[in-house]
Amino acid sequence: MSHTLLLELINLAYSNSLKTCFQEFNTRIHKGERIGIIGPNGCGKSTLLKLLLGRLEPNHGTILKMPKLSFGYLPQNTVAEENRYVFDVASEYTLDVLDDLKKLEEITSSFTKENTVIYEQLLDRLTDQDGFSVPAFLDSLLDRFNLLNFKNKPVSNLSGGQRMQLNLVRLLSTKPDILLLDEPTNHLDQINRRILMDFLMNWKGATLVVSHDVDLLNQFAATIWSFEEDKIVAFKGNYESYQIYKRQENQKILHKLEDLKNHKKKITNSIQDENHRAAQSRKANEGENDRNLKGAMKLKGSATIGKNTKNLNQQKDIILKELSNIRLLEGLKPRFTVINQSKHSLAISITEGKAGYGSEWILKDLNIQIYQGERIAIRGPNGCGKSTLFKAILQRSEVRIEGSWFLPQRHLLGYLDQHYSTLCPQETVMQSIQKIKPTWNDPEVRKHLNDFLFRKNEEISVRTSCLSGGEKARLCLAQIAALSPSVLLLDEITNNLDFEAREHLIQVLNAYKGTLIAISHDDIFLNKINIPRHISLSLGS
């Protein structure tokens, strides 16, 4: 890593009307640094990137930047316009240079004495900007991300993952000093994930990545910035090393608390023994001497109790403050009532199947058999038709199918996607369960929501549009548990989930006993929910 200092944060703090995101953050960013930024949804990770870009102003502190420092920023869910051509999007930030190259070519082809001044100006400008290398550099970027063959085609020809890569090419075309990437692996298939990972590992500038992608954070990050309560903790190492460190620190704090309890118990026993001895002395002595002894012992005992209690309380306050920074995952208690069916009976059978839209077939020659209780992952590159297959199974009206399709009845299918499309933004948390279980009374609905950590009145009366991503995921899971479908379809549901919400998701899915079919590029997640079988689709299948 280079020691060239690019940026320094001094006592940086930011808060809004709802909360303090962080305060007193001090750090330096050097050329070549690879930083992973983690924390719960809504904690301020994307806000931090906007502060670095200058799109927001900090409440306190200073951001010092080297002269002419340039950023490349890729926000979440950036969409390239479908009606534009791939090269037009890729070259958008270098249009001035390309225009100068075109003018220079025109002047050179019909050079006159009158054009000398303009020619020299263009030449100087292009030399200063290293403009002559831009066309080849753009082609090399498109080639690196497997987009060169699409150079002169509409963006509409690209898959969602390819469009994300195109947006990355556009911002890389300016050769920024610092890359700021917000959840860059969302929507990427395994091939494009590997392309992105290889690129980031070889990028010479500094890179800051907001991500919940464990694989990315382990392979790419050399430093972790973790949002914890109202501060940002910087740790040298990857995510796995950081997790080991946190577990060790948490254990130390828990041991301190246990030692404190034992110490308190010893002091309490000592005070009780002292009081017992005082009582025995009072029985053995009578008269004035006894009264004097009783008073002295009482004063001594009170002073001892007061001193020890004060010390214990001070120690306890310190340890409890440390303990408050530990995010202990509270478990969900899902209760499914999936109808037991024979493991040997078919849940879904497709023979010589086709699926598509209008006159276009996205999927052809499908032959899939899935049995009751199986756990299946649907794999394949972006654009191969995974989501189209799900829409066909869900019997969506916009999808046309041919061939032999044996599918469950629609009410026996459950569906959960990354956009939480089963939630109505105008409904409250309570109403989202009441609408699917109208026979449940209010106490039954509240008990069910309680199992998914919606407990307080303000938590169940809030509109779903106001929930965080993790809360929306929990509520969708609560809906699924209430319906207990015999077949559950999961479409890229780990995108945008923080680590806590992800663990909650894993808990619920491991408790589900029906047939589970998941579209996911997240191998770690698939392993944790015990998916042994993969069905692969290919482009043009």
Side-chain angles (χ1 to χ4, degrees):
M1 183 184 75
S2 168
H3 293 290
T4 303
L5 179 63
L6 301 179
L7 185 148
E8 183 174 8
L9 309 182
I10 304 170
N11 293 326
L12 200 68
Y14 185 83
S15 59
N16 54 36
S17 59
L18 299 176
K19 64 179 179 179
T20 298
C21 294
F22 59 87
Q23 52 190 343
E24 296 183 359
F25 184 42
N26 294 277
T27 193
R28 291 181 172 187
I29 300 174
H30 296 84
K31 184 177 179 180
E33 282 205 82
R34 302 199 304 266
I35 300 168
I37 304 174
I38 64 173
N41 289 334
C43 67
K45 302 185 296 296
S46 298
T47 296
L48 176 60
L49 298 188
K50 292 174 183 176
L51 286 167
L52 299 181
L53 289 165
R55 298 184 182 181
L56 290 175
E57 290 295 324
N59 301 111
H60 181 74
T62 306
I63 301 176
L64 298 177
K65 303 176 184 178
M66 71 171 235
K68 298 183 179 179
L69 183 71
S70 60
F71 292 93
Y73 174 51
L74 184 71
Q76 284 190 50
N77 303 319
T78 302
V79 178
E81 301 85 341
E82 288 196 355
N83 59 345
R84 299 178 67 189
Y85 284 85
V86 168
F87 187 74
D88 291 340
V89 174
S91 61
E92 183 177 343
Y93 297 162
T94 56
L95 283 179
D96 289 345
V97 172
L98 295 178
D99 284 344
D100 281 350
L101 285 170
K102 186 176 180 181
K103 290 175 185 175
L104 188 70
E105 184 181 354
E106 291 171 352
I107 290 174
T108 304
S109 64
S110 57
F111 190 81
T112 64
K113 188 175 181 181
E114 289 76 18
N115 289 335
T116 302
V117 174
I118 299 175
Y119 175 83
E120 290 178 350
Q121 289 175 344
L122 288 170
L123 196 61
D124 289 343
R125 197 156 60 220
L126 287 166
T127 302
D128 289 342
Q129 297 175 326
D130 193 21
F132 292 102
S133 68
V134 167
F137 183 60
L138 283 170
D139 279 353
S140 70
L141 287 173
L142 289 168
D143 188 42
R144 177 171 286 192
F145 290 100
N146 283 350
L147 295 171
L148 192 57
N149 291 336
F150 295 90
K151 179 178 177 178
N152 298 313
K153 294 181 179 179
V155 172
S156 57
N157 286 26
L158 303 182
S159 69
Q162 288 171 319
R163 294 181 196 189
M164 195 290 294
Q165 306 281 49
L166 176 58
N167 286 316
L168 188 57
V169 168
R170 174 167 52 182
L171 67 90
L172 290 172
S173 66
T174 61
K175 301 180 181 179
D177 299 302
I178 301 179
L179 282 180
L180 305 176
L181 309 180
D182 200 346
E183 299 287 1
T185 57
N186 284 357
H187 315 296
L188 294 189
D189 58 29
Q190 291 297 326
I191 294 173
N192 285 317
R193 282 166 64 89
R194 176 46 53 197
I195 291 171
L196 176 64
M197 195 83 75
D198 289 344
F199 175 81
L200 292 178
M201 295 299 289
N202 291 292
W203 178 250
K204 302 303 181 184
T207 312
L208 282 70
V209 177
V210 171
S211 183
H212 300 116
D213 186 324
V214 174
D215 192 37
L216 174 67
L217 292 169
N218 280 335
Q219 293 192 48
F220 156 79
T223 299
I224 297 293
W225 288 358
S226 175
F227 279 70
E228 299 179 8
E229 299 303 324
D230 59 352
K231 62 183 178 181
I232 300 175
V233 175
F235 174 83
K236 289 293 182 183
N238 65 6
Y239 179 70
E240 184 178 4
S241 300
Y242 176 70
Q243 287 296 95
I244 293 171
Y245 163 76
K246 285 297 293 182
R247 285 195 292 269
Q248 291 172 342
E249 290 299 302
N250 292 348
Q251 282 301 315
K252 287 178 185 177
I253 295 170
L254 293 172
H255 285 320
K256 281 185 189 178
L257 193 60
E258 190 62 31
D259 290 343
L260 184 66
K261 289 178 182 178
N262 293 334
H263 185 48
K264 185 175 181 179
K265 186 176 181 180
K266 288 179 181 178
I267 290 176
T268 302
N269 291 338
S270 177
I271 291 171
Q272 289 175 345
D273 291 343
E274 189 175 332
N275 288 338
H276 179 71
R277 286 194 297 272
Q280 293 296 103
S281 297
R282 286 196 295 274
K283 289 181 182 179
N285 298 283
E286 295 179 355
E288 188 66 27
N289 289 339
D290 180 46
R291 284 193 296 274
N292 290 338
L293 177 63
K294 181 178 180 180
M297 293 295 290
K298 185 174 182 180
L299 288 171
K300 182 181 178 182
S302 297
T304 301
I305 292 169
K307 183 179 179 181
N308 285 319
T309 300
K310 183 179 179 181
N311 289 337
L312 281 173
N313 287 338
Q314 288 175 345
Q315 292 180 55
K316 188 175 181 180
D317 286 344
I318 293 170
I319 294 172
L320 287 177
K321 188 174 181 180
E322 294 180 59
L323 194 64
S324 67
N325 291 326
I326 302 178
R327 294 183 61 83
L328 297 175
L329 182 69
E330 189 172 4
L332 275 64
K333 302 173 184 176
R335 296 179 176 87
F336 292 98
T337 54
V338 177
I339 300 172
N340 289 327
Q341 293 175 304
S342 170
K343 293 283 185 181
H344 301 291
S345 62
L346 281 169
I348 292 173
S349 178
I350 307 168
T351 305
E352 297 299 320
K354 293 181 180 180
Y357 308 91
S359 60
E360 182 183 5
W361 295 115
I362 305 298
L363 295 166
K364 293 181 282 187
D365 302 321
L366 285 176
N367 291 281
I368 297 172
Q369 280 73 46
I370 300 173
Y371 291 87
Q372 299 288 350
E374 273 200 286
R375 291 183 166 234
I376 307 289
I378 305 294
R379 309 298 294 272
N382 293 129
C384 70
K386 299 185 294 294
S387 294
T388 298
L389 175 61
F390 267 22
K391 290 175 184 176
I393 293 172
L394 289 164
Q395 296 140 58
R396 296 277 177 84
S397 59
E398 68 268 26
V399 179
R400 185 165 69 96
I401 62 174
E402 281 187 8
S404 175
W405 293 70
F406 171 74
L407 302 172
Q409 295 180 44
R410 183 62 187 86
H411 71 276
L412 296 176
L413 290 164
Y415 177 65
L416 177 59
D417 68 346
Q418 60 186 301
H419 306 296
Y420 317 112
S421 56
T422 59
L423 299 180
C424 174
Q426 300 306 314
E427 290 178 346
T428 66
V429 169
M430 185 91 166
Q431 289 169 340
S432 68
I433 300 299
Q434 287 173 324
K435 76 174 180 182
I436 60 175
K437 295 300 272 187
T439 59
W440 284 5
N441 58 34
D442 281 4
E444 287 174 318
V445 173
R446 285 175 175 270
K447 184 178 184 304
H448 183 74
L449 286 169
N450 183 75
D451 291 340
F452 290 84
L453 309 184
F454 295 99
R455 292 169 177 163
K456 301 176 183 177
N457 285 332
E458 55 266 31
E459 291 174 339
I460 65 173
S461 61
V462 69
R463 293 187 188 277
T464 64
S465 58
C466 299
L467 298 178
S468 70
E471 289 168 334
K472 287 178 180 178
R474 271 195 279 126
L475 184 54
C476 287
L477 291 168
Q479 288 182 318
I480 287 168
L483 292 169
S484 291
S486 62
V487 176
L488 178 56
L489 306 177
L490 310 175
D491 192 353
E492 294 287 8
I493 54 174
T494 55
N495 285 351
N496 304 317
L497 284 187
D498 62 34
F499 296 113
E500 184 174 284
R502 179 189 174 96
E503 288 304 312
H504 281 145
L505 179 66
I506 290 167
Q507 286 178 4
V508 174
L509 295 179
N510 282 334
Y512 175 72
K513 302 304 180 187
T515 306
L516 190 151
I517 309 171
I519 295 173
S520 179
H521 302 298
D522 188 337
D523 287 332
I524 295 174
F525 168 70
L526 293 174
N527 288 334
K528 285 196 172 185
I529 61 171
N530 302 309
I531 290 190
R533 181 185 165 198
H534 294 194
I535 294 175
S536 295
L537 302 180
S538 58
L539 290 170
S541 63

